[in-house]
Amino acid sequence: MAKATLQEVSTSLNEQNSFQNLSRFQEIVEFQKDFSLRIWYNDIPNCYATHWHTVLEIILPVENYYIVNVNDQHFRVMPGEILIIPPGELHELNAPNTGKRLIFMFDISILSNLKSFSGIQSLLVQPIYITPDTYPSIYDDIYSLLMNIKEEYFGTNEYAELTIYSFLIDLFVKLGYHHIYKQDLFPNVRLPKQKEYVRKFNQLLTYIDQHYMEELDLDHLSESVGFSKYHFLRLFKQYMGTTLGDYVTICRIKASEKLLCNPDLSIAEVSSRSGFTSISTFNRLFKQYKKCSPTEYRQHNNGFKL
């Protein structure tokens, strides 16, 4: 059962308006309190045209729905439901005339060097819509963690930021275990063997995350986890829900999103540094995945800061 009642956090209209500065496409997120995260309680009926940012965004309505469009996906997020929008995703926000919602924003780049985080980051290739129906086994835990994060942010704990990121890591871990053990990724495989597969694939994802800009050899990748090419490709799709080729492309697209923040880099340089073999391939695949060209994506990008 969704929870619709939250402790209200008093935030002035002027402060809410200062929390975000939208250009045509990119939202410039300005963190406060010397934190690398931002949380606010929003009751302004503003709508925001298509935009993007390099931070993770979590939306949790308190009263009334909130309409969120992420690329081609449409979400009508109800009170108590949770929508996680990965960094770099183009999205549009439409608020009703009345309503309240909590908005969380986190810089998760500081977690990228943690062991096995590549396996968690691989889940962030599309929005995650968490409701009592879609994630019944972990919904209450995820909701409670977000409430703990909110209380820490608006509290006086000297170690609030560190505490908040410990809660965020816990949230990611719960999502990771849900992905591994609640979806029967490897049917007819005994549990000890499943754990071995998970360990191998998490190591592989870390390798891909570190070498996506290079030409990746299928023989080498399959040998590194001890499978034949056929067995490897089948298990990879079971584990990730996408093909190896598509996953590598997504990694390169994600890398290009960050590089496009730098206006000093040409599109050709972004293409090359992201691991694409040609600018034409880069343009085609970027438009296929992001529904706009790289040039359009970086438009009005000057003066970017967190």
Side-chain angles (χ1 to χ4, degrees):
M1 180 177 181
K3 302 175 179 65
T5 302
L6 302 177
Q7 177 183 351
E8 295 190 2
V9 178
S10 176
T11 306
S12 70
L13 179 62
N14 289 336
E15 185 181 9
Q16 289 182 28
N17 286 335
S18 72
F19 282 172
Q20 53 189 2
N21 179 6
L22 292 175
S23 64
R24 178 179 172 188
F25 281 105
Q26 183 180 8
E27 179 179 355
I28 302 173
V29 179
E30 298 178 351
F31 295 136
Q32 289 185 339
K33 295 185 175 183
D34 296 323
F35 278 8
S36 55
L37 60 133
R38 199 71 182 270
I39 303 171
W40 70 96
Y41 188 80
N42 177 284
D43 61 0
I44 304 173
N46 286 353
C47 298
Y48 299 103
T50 301
H51 64 282
W52 63 279
H53 39 70
T54 60
V55 298
L56 180 85
E57 182 170 0
I58 300 178
I59 296 172
L60 197 166
V62 178
E63 295 179 10
N64 215 344
Y65 63 87
Y66 202 52
I67 299 296
V68 185
N69 298 314
V70 187
N71 289 327
D72 290 335
Q73 299 183 67
H74 176 84
F75 301 93
R76 184 184 178 94
V77 191
M78 301 302 293
E81 297 180 343
I82 301 158
L83 182 65
I84 300 176
I85 304 174
E89 291 297 312
L90 291 167
H91 58 286
E92 175 187 347
L93 306 174
N94 295 286
N97 291 332
T98 61
K100 300 174 183 178
R101 68 228 39 112
L102 277 168
I103 309 294
F104 302 75
M105 287 189 170
F106 303 94
D107 176 7
I108 61 171
S109 64
I110 62 177
L111 305 179
S112 60
N113 291 327
L114 295 178
K115 185 177 180 181
S116 299
F117 191 68
S118 291
I120 300 299
Q121 222 163 4
S122 66
L123 302 178
L124 299 175
V125 297
Q126 59 184 356
I128 303 175
Y129 186 33
I130 302 174
T131 74
D133 293 328
T134 58
Y135 287 79
S137 63
I138 62 171
Y139 167 79
D140 286 337
D141 291 338
I142 299 296
Y143 184 94
S144 294
L145 285 168
L146 289 175
M147 293 303 97
N148 289 339
I149 287 172
K150 181 202 68 168
E151 293 300 325
E152 285 293 328
Y153 185 84
F154 291 104
T156 58
N157 181 359
E158 182 70 23
Y159 300 104
E161 185 174 26
L162 188 61
T163 304
I164 286 171
Y165 272 95
S166 71
F167 288 139
L168 185 63
I169 291 171
D170 194 6
L171 185 152
F172 284 140
V173 169
K174 291 184 186 302
L175 286 173
Y177 277 122
H178 179 273
H179 172 70
I180 294 169
Y181 297 116
K182 299 299 181 181
Q183 300 185 31
D184 198 20
L185 292 177
F186 304 114
N188 304 318
V189 176
R190 298 179 64 183
L191 183 59
K193 204 69 174 177
Q194 287 192 30
K195 291 182 177 180
E196 179 185 343
Y197 286 3
V198 168
R199 178 182 57 80
K200 287 183 175 181
F201 277 110
N202 279 341
Q203 290 175 346
L204 176 70
L205 294 175
T206 299
Y207 179 85
I208 293 174
D209 190 51
Q210 295 171 346
H211 298 273
Y212 61 83
M213 71 294 294
E214 304 169 9
E215 183 176 351
L216 297 173
D217 180 71
L218 176 57
D219 289 330
H220 172 71
L221 294 179
S222 58
E223 288 175 6
S224 70
V225 289
F227 299 127
S228 68
K229 286 187 289 186
Y230 171 79
H231 196 46
F232 166 70
L233 291 174
R234 181 173 61 83
L235 289 176
F236 186 93
K237 188 170 184 179
Q238 285 178 220
Y239 186 65
M240 292 304 305
T242 188
T243 66
L244 173 65
D246 285 343
Y247 180 74
V248 173
T249 297
I250 290 170
C251 287
R252 290 170 175 167
I253 293 292
K254 287 291 182 185
S256 72
E257 292 169 4
K258 297 178 183 178
L259 293 172
L260 286 168
C261 292
N262 184 349
D264 295 329
L265 294 177
S266 69
I267 300 299
E269 288 174 307
V270 171
S271 170
S272 176
R273 293 190 188 188
S274 302
F276 291 96
T277 55
S278 69
I279 191 171
S280 61
T281 299
F282 172 52
N283 284 327
R284 175 176 58 82
L285 290 174
F286 193 95
K287 192 162 188 177
Q288 176 183 328
Y289 281 86
K290 306 302 296 185
K291 312 305 178 188
C292 67
S293 70
T295 300
E296 291 170 332
Y297 189 84
R298 82 181 324 177
Q299 191 171 1
H300 300 292
N301 209 25
N302 293 331
F304 172 78
K305 62 180 178 179
L306 286 179

